[in-house]
Amino acid sequence: MSAVMSGHDVLAVMPTGSGKSLGYQLPAVTLPGTTLVVSPLISLMKDQVDELNRRGIPSAALHSMLSDDRRRQTWHHARSGQLRLLYVAPERFASDAFMRLLADLPVARFVIDEAHCVSEWGHDFRPDYRRLRAAADACRRSDDAQGRPPMAAFTATATAEVRDDIVTLLGLRAPRILVAGFD
């Protein structure tokens, strides 16, 4: 959490249920701008957004199950700075329209959940995860500093080879690599 807060790029490999989400959700509450969270599962996005909103943390998700009106409303809330976290599927970055809209969003942190999906060596490779490096580079930082926002990649499963792949393919810069086990 402190590495994310301090603006370092981070790769965290932690078991399911060990608090990975807290590693980016708590910083999102305190940092200016919106934390953009790339997540592969609509059900996971919905669960996290529902819980965050229940706790009074304004959050939303953009995914294929939303109506056009709801999608526009969500984007309006994000652009106007009303959201602390915005969850999106990796496939969203294949849309030129979304990429143009993204340039208007002040991003505090660019977070990749289930980051093992970026690696062909991973057990759940998703080709659209390969767009995330360029997508992060296209974002505007919420602190008005130059360059892309700090990135944080989280996963429960990543061998050393997959970790190296994640760092390279996402373009993580001098990342803090944190690997925790059940013990």
Side-chain angles (χ1 to χ4, degrees):
M1 198 176 321
S2 65
V4 172
M5 288 290 295
S6 350
H8 297 285
D9 282 358
V10 174
L11 170 58
V13 182
M14 301 167 62
T16 300
S18 63
K20 287 187 297 290
S21 298
L22 190 58
Y24 60 83
Q25 289 173 345
L26 185 58
V29 172
T30 62
L31 294 168
T34 300
T35 293
L36 187 66
V37 182
V38 181
S39 180
L41 300 171
I42 293 173
S43 61
L44 180 61
M45 284 189 249
K46 183 178 177 352
D47 288 348
Q48 290 198 7
V49 167
D50 288 349
E51 182 62 20
L52 288 163
N53 284 314
R54 189 183 73 70
R55 293 178 180 271
I57 301 166
S59 305
L62 286 172
H63 53 73
S64 60
M65 301 301 289
L66 296 177
S67 68
D68 287 342
D69 285 341
R70 183 69 178 153
R71 203 169 303 143
R72 280 191 291 276
Q73 181 184 35
T74 297
W75 192 252
H76 171 73
H77 289 301
R79 286 180 58 199
S80 64
Q82 296 176 45
L83 298 178
R84 305 307 299 160
L85 294 107
L86 177 63
Y87 289 77
V88 298
E91 290 77 14
R92 181 82 35 205
F93 297 96
S95 162
D96 290 336
F98 177 74
M99 290 301 294
R100 284 191 300 277
L101 290 171
L102 192 58
D104 292 334
L105 181 68
V107 176
R109 299 293 181 267
F110 192 104
V111 175
I112 301 95
D113 199 8
E114 305 299 336
H116 64 275
C117 295
V118 76
S119 174
E120 288 187 49
W121 299 105
H123 71 275
D124 195 17
F125 172 62
R126 298 267 293 264
D128 285 304
Y129 268 74
R130 293 288 175 95
R131 300 177 191 273
L132 299 182
R133 181 180 190 163
D137 287 343
C139 288
R140 182 170 59 107
R141 291 177 63 128
S142 62
D143 62 4
D144 293 325
Q146 294 296 314
R148 65 156 172 78
M151 294 176 75
F154 293 86
T155 185
T157 56
T159 63
E161 187 173 48
V162 171
R163 289 193 302 268
D164 290 344
D165 222 15
I166 291 168
V167 168
T168 300
L169 294 170
L170 292 176
L172 300 182
R173 299 176 186 143
R176 303 291 164 93
I177 299 176
L178 310 164
V179 180
F182 287 102
D183 297 331

